[in-house]
Amino acid sequence: MSTASPAGSREPLSTASPAGPREPLGTASPRYGPAPLRGRLRVPSDKSLSHRVVLFAAMSEGVSRISGLLDSLDVRSSLDAVAALGATVEMQRDTTGPGDSTTGRGDPTTGPGDSTTGCSDPTTGPGDSTTGLCGTIRGFGPDGPRQRHPGTASPFFTLDCGNSGTTSRLLLGLLAGYDLTALLTGDASLSRRPMNRVTLPLLTMGARFEASHDTRTVCTTENFDSLPLVVYGSSSLKAIEYRSPVASAQVKSAVLLAGLHATGTTSVLEPSKSRDHTELLLPAFGVDVQVDGLRVSIRGGQRPTAPRDVLILPGDPSSAAFFLVGAALVPQSDVTICDMLLNPTRTGFLAVMQRMGADVCVEPRTAASLGAELVGDVTVRYRPVLKATRVAAAEVPSLIDELPILALLATGAEGTTVFESVGELRVKESDRLAAIEEGLRILGCEAYSEGDTLFVTGRGTAKAPGGTAAAHTTLLRTYGDHRLAMTWTMANHVLGRDHPLDDPACRAVSYPDFLDDLKTLLA
Ligand code: S3P
């Protein structure tokens, strides 16, 4: 990944601490303790939706118009991949911000979107500090990916998926249904992540794989579990009924995308509901998807077409969660995140915050584009008492990416918060379960795991017990994982500590301007 930064970079945030004044950010606080988070913010657009908009536009016939696409390293991996597959990508920075997803305003062909994005406040002015990408993608259409320089009988593509699990797993499914050969690579972190969960069902459908000879990981011909991988697609896939052992939107989406090209109807059954953006968004591209409880089905042979409406993306709840949890932990905080995606398969963290006693106010609206996705504004105001809770296994898919920041929230609650069945954390961008324990202990908080269960004991206040905390010079490790980098940045702030992070720049995987937006709320 190209986000490496000098090891041990230090980024002071707090304006004051119990131990005395700290490096100011030009935002001197009149009081001691961490500065409150206050104000309105439009966080960058949703990453899961951005990947899907790019991939679905690429496989469609016609030109899709897009406003407010997340501009981050992960989404750039998807954009670069579809360009390499022959889609025509014309995207540029939208300097005024995405359109309003509730009104459908903002046309990338006639000009930038509405800069207020439903976030304007007459007293404070527009809250939108965030830009994204706007423009068009002309799909390669039903005939499938095209090489820029054709010449060989069976097209061959090389696609670098960077750090992005969603790019790689959804692409494996998307490519499986075309007569082509593609080599998928990724960075060191992505090359460690399991791919069997996707390649096994795709093999059953008729795709073939080969472990690339470039690989340094052990990968036998029967084991297509890690990148680099070569996929041999086939235009004669057969439909399957797949019972997925994990609740994973990436697995579900990969199988459904392959099913679009299969003969017959393909169904995926999940043990519990994972995020449902694929099933909500495909109909906007003219593809019929049937949902029956935990079973999602797609009929093969449908031809996706570019939507007539502009696709306008709402803010990412996974990015918003850092500030909303920060506001719940720091006295006098009051933060509103505007125009945020409120899909219930993504907002489990808000329910957990409410259960713990946080003051959370949600104002939903219906988005005018992007299928049936809900959007709205979310406000969190500090409340002094938080109490521990139990996060049940069935809730985990709806808050899987928010577990690191929820673990930080638990350090400020009275009692021991139990996170059940969070084993999937071990196969994210890093082993997040081990990294959460390690980081929280360095910060002086109590955290341990038994099997797949994580326990975090809080003291009813967002202050780390100074006695057991490591020295401020001890490094907090990110393991190159963007969500850990943002969690530790917020932890340093709310706990009044100053630990250096080994790779803060990896935040750019999902949120390049995270630090600037945090500083805006602290100003
Ligand atoms: C994602 C699904 C989730 C999530 C990831 C994005 C998606 O992964 O953790 O950040 O966009 O489909 P799993 O499908 O592996 O649970």
Side-chain angles (χ1 to χ4, degrees):
M1 205 170 54
S2 57
T3 55
S5 70
S9 323
R10 200 180 290 266
E11 295 169 299
L13 273 174
S14 307
T15 53
S17 78
R22 301 170 52 161
E23 286 182 87
L25 284 174
T27 57
S29 168
R31 48 188 287 283
Y32 287 92
L37 287 83
R38 298 184 68 84
R40 301 168 70 84
L41 187 71
R42 203 287 186 181
V43 294
S45 296
D46 188 68
K47 185 157 80 67
S48 288
L49 280 174
S50 294
H51 284 299
R52 284 163 174 78
V53 160
V54 169
L55 297 176
F56 298 174
M59 66 186 193
S60 294
E61 194 157 18
V63 177
S64 297
R65 294 173 298 153
I66 301 162
S67 176
L69 191 80
L70 172 63
D71 187 9
S72 79
L73 292 179
D74 256 19
V75 178
R76 288 207 174 231
S77 294
S78 284
L79 284 168
D80 290 347
V82 301
L85 290 167
T88 307
V89 176
E90 285 177 2
M91 303 292 294
Q92 64 206 18
R93 289 286 289 181
D94 178 351
T95 46
T96 59
D100 183 336
S101 61
T102 59
T103 63
R105 284 174 291 175
D107 183 340
T109 56
T110 57
D114 176 353
S115 64
T116 59
T117 63
C119 197
S120 65
D121 176 336
T123 55
T124 60
D128 182 3
S129 64
T130 304
T131 56
L133 296 170
C134 77
T136 59
I137 296 179
R138 179 184 289 280
F140 44 73
D143 295 337
R146 282 188 298 267
Q147 271 176 310
R148 294 212 171 277
H149 308 289
T152 50
S154 166
F156 183 88
F157 302 93
T158 302
L159 308 169
D160 179 0
C161 303
N163 190 250
S164 175
T166 309
T167 306
S168 56
R169 295 193 178 122
L170 267 59
L171 267 182
L172 285 171
L174 185 152
L175 296 172
Y178 301 106
D179 286 318
L180 54 72
T181 309
L183 168 67
L184 269 67
T185 63
D187 70 5
S189 150
L190 185 57
S191 303
R192 281 192 295 270
R193 298 182 66 186
M195 292 292 150
N196 259 348
R197 51 182 60 199
V198 171
T199 54
L200 287 178
L202 296 179
L203 275 166
T204 318
M205 297 177 84
R208 292 284 166 263
F209 299 92
E210 185 183 306
S212 162
H213 298 301
D214 295 349
T215 182
R216 296 207 183 106
T217 53
V218 181
C219 194
T220 69
T221 43
E222 290 79 40
N223 177 10
F224 307 114
D225 199 18
S226 51
L227 299 186
L229 273 178
V230 179
V231 50
Y232 298 94
S234 160
S235 56
S236 50
L237 294 185
K238 55 180 191 299
I240 56 168
E241 165 143 331
Y242 186 60
R243 238 169 235 280
S244 178
V246 279
S248 160
Q250 293 176 353
V251 172
K252 175 173 61 180
S253 304
V255 176
L256 292 174
L257 290 177
L260 191 53
H261 301 286
T263 310
T265 295
T266 295
S267 299
V268 182
L269 267 133
E270 299 193 276
S272 51
K273 197 170 173 72
S274 67
R275 63 192 67 190
D276 59 1
H277 305 308
T278 293
E279 21 313 26
L280 290 179
L281 187 58
L282 276 175
F285 289 84
V287 174
D288 180 43
V289 181
Q290 296 296 320
V291 181
D292 179 11
L294 296 175
R295 173 197 297 268
V296 185
S297 305
I298 195 164
R299 202 170 11 88
Q302 301 184 66
R303 293 162 74 95
T305 48
R308 255 189 306 146
D309 289 341
V310 179
L311 295 159
I312 303 171
L313 289 105
D316 193 331
S318 301
S319 296
F322 297 103
F323 304 123
L324 296 175
V325 166
L329 286 171
V330 180
Q332 294 178 28
S333 293
D334 184 345
V335 168
T336 298
I337 303 293
C338 323
D339 199 23
M340 184 185 107
L341 176 68
L342 287 179
N343 181 319
T345 63
R346 296 288 301 284
T347 51
F349 74 99
L350 292 177
V352 169
M353 289 179 73
Q354 277 169 329
R355 231 157 56 215
M356 293 174 81
D359 180 357
V360 180
C361 171
V362 179
E363 294 170 76
R365 291 174 274 131
T366 306
S369 75
L370 285 176
E373 296 287 5
L374 272 181
V375 300
D377 298 347
V378 179
T379 300
V380 170
R381 295 186 185 91
Y382 174 79
R383 215 185 246 164
V385 181
L386 293 174
K387 52 189 188 307
T389 189
R390 176 173 287 267
V391 176
E395 291 178 274
V396 168
S398 71
L399 47 78
I400 183 74
D401 292 338
E402 292 68 65
L403 282 164
I405 195 68
L406 282 178
L408 179 67
L409 183 67
T411 69
E414 273 169 21
T416 299
T417 295
V418 181
F419 298 94
E420 289 177 357
S421 299
V422 293
E424 274 291 298
L425 284 182
R426 296 198 192 280
V427 291
K428 291 295 175 190
E429 286 83 330
S430 68
D431 179 347
R432 282 187 186 156
L433 192 48
I436 289 169
E437 286 178 60
E438 178 190 277
L440 289 185
R441 286 195 195 140
I442 287 170
L443 289 158
C445 307
E446 275 180 55
Y448 67 97
S449 63
E450 271 175 15
D452 285 347
T453 303
L454 173 68
F455 301 85
V456 180
T457 301
R459 317 229 321 187
T461 159
K463 281 199 184 74
T468 51
H472 282 255
T473 48
T474 308
L475 200 64
L476 280 172
R477 289 195 183 280
T478 64
Y479 297 96
D481 182 332
H482 55 130
R483 302 213 191 276
L484 291 176
M486 290 184 273
T487 300
W488 301 145
T489 303
M490 189 57 77
N492 262 338
H493 179 66
V494 302
L495 298 172
R497 299 190 64 87
D498 194 18
H499 296 273
L501 270 59
D502 59 345
D503 182 11
C506 69
R507 291 186 294 241
V509 162
S510 62
Y511 200 161
D513 296 329
F514 175 79
L515 201 62
D516 289 341
D517 284 354
L518 176 54
K519 286 177 181 171
T520 303
L521 292 178
L522 295 176

